[in-house]
Amino acid sequence: MLSKKLETIMNEQIGKEAFSSNLYLAMASWAETQGYEGIANWFYAQAEEEHLHMLKFIRFINEKGGKAILPAIEKPESVFHDVKFLFTEALKHEQFISNSINEIMHVAVEEKDFASQNWLQWFIFEQREEEASVQRILDKLNILGAHNMYLFDRDIMSLRAPSAPAAE
Ligand code: OFO
């Protein structure tokens, strides 16, 4: 059984994961309209992962006797300065989500909810991977400077991070 406090904070996370998915769709769409097919594909794939994260929270809350509630989702930005700005924003967003997951874990620890702590470990691992993946891309962009975006766009699909091992 989920405590009310955990149910509330996990429900908030549903909204954050949904926003993440929409944000990455907006980023993919921007990249696509700028002619960056590789970058667009990278963000489309990322958006799908975020959608799955949202689903995981919905199903976990319901399974643990809570009620998952879908919130309204804020409109994401649709215009991005350039490719480096795009990935800098993505990294900031991932850091924000990591903090948010840490907060949920903090509540699960306070509540002595060991099943939730165990389940949340998957997200802790996933966030670490996602931050590292975006950071690796930013490192490459720093090496390239503002040039060679054609090659970067072609190579980006090989920079995808392995996801956390599957969990229900
Ligand atoms: Fe939901 O995985 Fe990052 O944000």
Side-chain angles (χ1 to χ4, degrees):
M1 187 76 192
L2 271 186
S3 71
K4 256 292 155 227
K5 202 168 170 190
L6 260 181
E7 182 181 350
T8 301
I9 198 168
M10 284 191 178
N11 260 314
E12 284 165 11
Q13 190 64 27
I14 291 175
K16 290 177 188 171
E17 299 293 345
F19 177 79
S20 304
S21 185
N22 278 1
L23 174 65
Y24 292 153
L25 282 178
M27 289 175 161
S29 181
W30 176 86
E32 196 163 47
T33 56
Q34 303 294 310
Y36 295 122
E37 199 187 331
I39 296 171
N41 285 342
W42 192 93
F43 277 105
Y44 279 131
Q46 209 62 31
E48 273 178 38
E49 281 193 20
E50 299 302 345
H51 180 77
L52 287 176
H53 297 169
M54 176 184 66
L55 270 180
K56 278 180 190 285
F57 271 99
I58 292 173
R59 304 204 64 180
F60 184 75
I61 293 169
N62 290 339
E63 184 189 304
K64 290 266 286 168
K67 260 201 177 60
I69 313 273
L70 279 289
I73 304 162
E74 190 191 326
K75 181 178 180 290
E77 289 297 326
S78 56
V79 179
F80 303 92
H81 203 55
D82 56 22
V83 171
K84 189 164 172 200
F85 179 77
L86 191 71
F87 282 99
T88 305
E89 288 301 295
L91 181 60
K92 272 202 258 172
H93 184 70
E94 286 304 330
Q95 288 165 341
F96 164 73
I97 295 293
S98 297
N99 286 338
S100 179
I101 296 288
N102 287 345
E103 270 311 307
I104 302 173
M105 180 61 103
H106 182 72
V107 175
V109 169
E110 271 179 356
E111 308 273 315
K112 297 194 174 70
D113 182 337
F114 300 110
S116 293
Q117 289 174 41
N118 185 258
W119 182 79
L120 283 163
Q121 279 301 340
W122 184 89
F123 281 91
I124 303 266
F125 181 88
E126 178 73 0
Q127 280 310 121
R128 198 185 77 204
E129 285 299 319
E130 289 189 338
E131 278 192 41
S133 156
V134 181
Q135 185 60 63
R136 270 196 297 277
I137 290 172
L138 278 168
D139 291 345
K140 302 269 182 245
L141 284 169
N142 282 335
I143 295 169
L144 283 172
H147 308 292
N148 297 320
M149 282 302 117
Y150 173 79
L151 290 179
F152 174 80
D153 186 56
R154 198 192 60 184
D155 290 350
I156 189 170
M157 285 314 274
S158 62
L159 296 176
R160 281 194 67 72
S163 270
E168 324 73 69

